[in-house]
Amino acid sequence: MPRGTHETYHLGDLVLQGGATLRDATLAYATYGTLAPDRRNAIVYPTWYSGRHWENEWLIGPGMALDPDRWFIIVPNMLGNGLSSSPSNTPPPYDRARFPHVTVLDNVTAQHRLVTEHFGIEQLACVTGWSMGAGQTFQWAVSHPEMVPKILPFCGSARTSEHNKVFLDGVRAALTAGSGFRGGWYESQPTAGLRAAARVYAGWGFSQAFYWERLYRQLGYSSLEDFLVGFWEGFFLDERDANNLLSMLWTWEHGDVGATPGFDGDLERALGSITARAIVMPAEKDLYFPPEDEAYEVSHMPNAELRVIPGVWGHFAGGGANPVDTTFIDRALAELLAE
Amino acid sequence: MPRGTHETYHLGDLVLQGGATLRDATLAYATYGTLAPDRRNAIVYPTWYSGRHWENEWLIGPGMALDPDRWFIIVPNMLGNGLSSSPSNTPPPYDRARFPHVTVLDNVTAQHRLVTEHFGIEQLACVTGWSMGAGQTFQWAVSHPEMVPKILPFCGSARTSEHNKVFLDGVRAALTAGSGFRGGWYESQPTAGLRAAARVYAGWGFSQAFYWERLYRQLGYSSLEDFLVGFWEGFFLDERDANNLLSMLWTWEHGDVGATPGFDGDLERALGSITARAIVMPAEKDLYFPPEDEAYEVSHMPNAELRVIPGVWGHFAGGGANPVDTTFIDRALAELLAE
C-alpha cells in the first residue's frame, strides 16, 4: 500500500472526554488482510507519537506474526497525527492552536466505533502497539475487556510517568520557544522550533550505549551530526505539523488508564481490571519508558508477563529500526497469537 | 564566606588552545583553610557547568574530608561562569557572543598558573570535582602527573561521550531558539530560552526513579510543576547568563583528555598516562555520565578504582542535594586522602 493511502471513517460529532465536541470528526485508517466471515480475526494496531499508518507496516507481512494472510489488521491513525482529525486539518473555529485536548480514551472511543459500527466486530483477536500505541493498547484492555482477549503493548505504559512528562515538557519548550511559533498561529511551519525539538528528542530516543557504539552508522548515517540532521531533524520535518505534535504531546502527557470513568484515578485498580492475557515488552534501555515502570504495572495486572527487549536501541527497539529487536517482538506476538 | 566573595588572579594575556588570546584574563577563586608552610596540603576543587565557588561548599567543612582545618582547598571558578573571564564580563571585542572557545585544558592551564605562580605550590595533595569539575580533574592528572598524586572525579568523564553531546545539543537548541536570543546579542537575558533550556535539562539531571518516587518533595517542592519552575527555571535564572552558559557548554562538549598535546587524540593513551591513584565515582543512574562510560575509562587507568554512587538521584547525586550521597562521596574522599 503506497504511503498515504487510507480509508476514512466519519465519526460525526465526537464529544471528547474534556467536554469539547469535535464536529465531523474523522478517523483515518488502513487495513491489511481480509476480515474473516466470523469477524474474529481482527487485530487493532494503533499508531504512535507523530506516526502514520504506513510507519507501522514494518511489523506486518507474510510469514510474520501479523500476517495479512491470516489476520485482519486495522491500523487507526491517532487523532492529531495529521490524517485523522487534527489541528492541521480541522476547519475553524477548532483549528490549529484551538484544537481541543484529546485523550487516549478519546482515541480508543473513536477506534471502538470504527471496529464495532463499521466492521461489525464483536471481539478482537489482539491489540498491540508501540509507545503511545502501547498506551492505546492498555486503554483498549481497560475500556473493553470483553472485546480484548490478548494485548502486547511494547515500549509504552498505561500511565505516563512523571519523568516521562518532564522529558515531554522539554520537547514542548523547544518546539514553542522559536520566534516563528507565534502561539500556534504560524504562517508556515516553525522549522527552527521543529529542529530544536528534534535535537532535544534525539538524546532520549536511543540509549547512551547506542550512541557510544555509534550504531547510527548501521542506519546509514556517516557521523553524529549527520544522524542529528538526517534522521532527527528530517523526522520532525517530514510532513509533521507543530500544532499536531503539540496535540499528541498533550495526549501522551495525560495518558492514564486510571482516569477511565469508573476507576476514579486509581491506576492499580484499572490495571487489575484487565482480563486480557498480556505480554508487556519494555526495552532494556528505554530512557522514557524504563523497564522498572512496566514491572510495576505488570505487578498489578492479573494475567500479564513482563518480557524485556534486550539490547541498546532504547525506545527505538520498538520502532522497527533494528532487525534483531523486530524479530524479538515478532516472536512474542506469534507466541501470544498462537496461545 | 558569603556568596560572591572571592579573590581574582590576573592571568595577563592567556593564549587559548584554539588560538585566540584572552587579554587581561582573570581567574576568580576562593580558598578554604590555610596553606601549610611546606605547601603540600593544597587540594584543587574546580567548579562545574554554571556553578560558582560557593556552590561547591557543601563538600567542605570541619569534620568532613575536605576539612579546612587540615587542607588548603582552592576552588577556581571555571572560565565562562561569570566570575572568571566570561562572555558577560569581557570587554569588546571578545565580549558576549564573540567570546572565544575555551577548552578544559585552557581552564587547567589557568588554574596551574594560579597554583604554581601565585601560591608557589609544587605538588597538590589531590584534585577532585563534580561533573565538568571531574573533567578538569582528569585533565589535571593528564597534564601535570608530577603534581597530582590523587584524584577523585565524580559524576563526570575524561572525554565527553557522543550521547552526552546529543543531550547538550538539545539544551543549546532550546536556549537559542527563543526570539530574544538574537544570536547572542540580546539586550536583556533571553529568559524564554533560559526557561526552555531549564525544562530540557530537568529530565536529565535526576533519574527516572527520582521522579517516580517524587523525591523533589524532599527538596521542598510541592509538585512536579513546582519543581520545574522553582528548582529548574530558578536555577537557570539565578544570575546566569545565556552566552556564559553557551560558552561552558562548548567547553563541556569538547572535553577530551586525548586532545591534550602529546596524545594525538588518543584517549586510551592519555588515560594510561595518569599516575595518580584514582577513585572514579559515577552515579548509578546518572543519565549523561552513565557508569558504563566510567568503567571504560577506569579500565585504561593504571591505578584507578571504579566506585559507583548507589541510588536514584542521578547526576545530582554529586551535587550536594542528597545527604546520603554526600556522605558516600565524603567517605571516599577521606579514604583517598588518608592513604
Side-chain angles (χ1 to χ4, degrees), chain A residues 3-310:
Chain A
R3 171 172 175 154
T5 304
H6 62 261
E7 307 291 322
T8 300
Y9 185 62
H10 293 272
L11 296 157
D13 292 351
L14 183 67
V15 179
L16 299 171
Q17 220 182 340
T21 297
L22 207 49
R23 291 172 179 80
D24 300 317
T26 58
L27 193 61
Y29 66 96
T31 62
Y32 306 82
T34 307
L35 185 58
D38 67 1
R39 301 172 194 267
R40 293 180 73 92
N41 70 331
I43 294 172
V44 173
Y45 177 22
T47 60
W48 35 274
Y49 183 65
S50 89
R52 284 76 56 108
H53 56 85
W54 63 84
E55 293 168 305
N56 269 12
E57 292 176 0
W58 57 273
L59 195 59
I60 301 170
M64 299 183 75
L66 298 184
D67 190 333
D69 288 341
R70 174 158 182 203
W71 304 106
F72 180 62
I73 302 140
I74 305 167
V75 178
N77 285 276
M78 201 160 48
L79 294 164
N81 87 335
L83 299 176
S84 293
S85 284
S86 300
S88 64
N89 64 18
T90 295
Y94 274 121
D95 59 319
R96 306 169 73 195
R98 196 65 84 232
F99 192 73
H101 291 319
V102 170
T103 63
V104 176
L105 178 57
D106 290 328
N107 273 286
V108 169
T109 299
Q111 293 166 20
H112 180 259
R113 286 184 49 198
L114 170 71
V115 166
T116 56
E117 296 173 4
H118 181 67
F119 288 114
I121 294 166
E122 293 184 357
Q123 191 177 52
L124 296 166
C126 183
V127 183
T128 188
W130 177 48
S131 197
M132 285 185 79
Q136 294 165 74
T137 300
F138 282 113
Q139 187 66 58
W140 262 102
V142 169
S143 294
H144 306 288
E146 75 292 351
M147 284 186 71
V148 182
K150 298 175 184 178
I151 59 172
L152 194 147
F154 50 105
C155 308
S157 66
R159 179 175 68 183
T160 302
S161 75
E162 290 213 348
H163 178 268
N164 198 318
K165 291 179 189 183
V166 176
F167 145 60
L168 293 173
D169 203 48
V171 174
R172 176 193 283 123
L175 185 54
T176 59
S179 54
F181 181 66
R182 297 181 53 195
W185 302 106
Y186 42 82
E187 298 290 329
S188 57
Q189 288 302 320
T191 51
L194 287 164
R195 289 176 189 269
R199 298 237 158 197
V200 171
Y201 216 112
W204 294 106
F206 296 87
S207 78
Q208 299 97 340
F210 171 90
Y211 284 101
W212 181 277
E213 297 176 23
R214 297 184 181 169
L215 293 179
Y216 49 77
R217 294 186 296 200
Q218 287 185 26
L219 298 175
Y221 298 93
S222 49
S223 66
L224 180 61
E225 185 64 15
D226 186 43
F227 184 58
L228 292 176
V229 177
F231 181 91
W232 282 106
E233 294 191 14
F235 191 97
F236 274 73
L237 295 173
D238 178 24
E239 295 178 30
R240 286 171 169 101
D241 171 88
N243 285 321
N244 289 355
L245 291 171
L246 290 167
S247 170
M248 291 179 281
L249 197 75
W250 192 95
T251 305
W252 182 346
E253 221 171 10
H254 291 80
D256 181 3
V257 296
T260 310
F263 293 102
D264 197 30
D266 188 336
L267 170 72
E268 291 76 10
R269 193 153 62 81
L271 290 170
S273 76
I274 295 176
T275 53
R277 157 80 175 123
I279 302 181
V280 178
M281 302 185 71
E284 182 183 351
K285 287 183 180 286
D286 193 322
L287 292 177
Y288 43 97
F289 291 109
E292 303 92 292
D293 297 6
E294 288 322 282
Y296 178 82
E297 295 188 341
V298 163
S299 76
H300 291 276
M301 295 166 67
N303 197 12
E305 170 195 343
L306 183 76
R307 193 178 298 184
V308 178
I309 307 166

